[in-house]
Amino acid sequence: MIRGLIWAPAMLLAAGGDPALAQAADAAPGNGRIVWIVVALVAVAAAVVAFLAARRWKSRAEQAEAALSALRAAQDAAPVGQVQLLESGVITVNAAARNLLGGAPDTVDALVAGFAESDRTPLRASISGLLQGTGFDRVAKRARDGRALKLIGFRA
């Protein structure tokens, strides 16, 4: 009769007061199997959680890579304009920058005025860095329509 109740814990049977019943419950076959089945189920659940977390992180990484790739493509598609500071203090621009700006600006203010308001302060700071000999490269947008231009500044 006790062997049919292999799922009953030994403490429950021992509470009945009969030591023979508690000893029979401890010796009942299958109690160890239940523990191993529970341990195996917990291990499988942990493996599934780890697998799903890895897939989620891989998906997030792929999304971030796609967004970065799209930004790189947009930046690489922009024409390259060169800003050169001559020793005489005059600023010259190459043909790509002249075409985009609609002319050849002769001063820093004229050059900066051709770009969007949000790009003017960083661009002015970059151009002032040319006076100390620090080159720059940045993407700025044209004020008229927002078209991007990669600017490379250097001192001649």
Side-chain angles (χ1 to χ4, degrees), residues 43-146:
V44 168
V48 168
V49 167
F51 175 74
L52 292 176
R55 283 184 58 192
R56 183 177 62 239
W57 283 106
K58 182 180 177 187
S59 173
R60 287 181 183 171
E62 288 172 352
Q63 289 173 349
E65 183 64 33
L68 185 60
S69 177
L71 289 173
R72 284 184 183 148
Q75 183 177 0
D76 291 343
V80 176
Q82 295 178 347
V83 177
Q84 183 177 14
L85 178 65
L86 302 175
E87 288 184 17
S88 61
V90 177
I91 290 183
T92 62
V93 294
N94 70 343
R98 281 194 303 273
N99 289 339
L100 188 80
L101 294 172
D106 51 354
T107 65
V108 174
D109 292 331
L111 175 65
V112 171
F115 292 98
E117 188 69 37
S118 61
D119 293 329
R120 289 181 185 170
T121 302
L123 185 58
R124 190 179 306 274
S126 297
I127 292 173
S128 68
L130 284 177
L131 296 173
Q132 288 90 25
T134 305
F136 69 89
D137 60 338
R138 71 172 45 256
V139 176
K141 295 185 180 187
R142 184 167 54 181
R144 284 187 300 215
D145 59 1

Side-chain angles (χ1 to χ4, degrees), residues 22 24 34 37-38 79 81 86 99 110 114 137 154:
I34 292 174
I37 289 172
V38 170
L86 302 175
N99 289 339
D137 60 338
F154 57 94

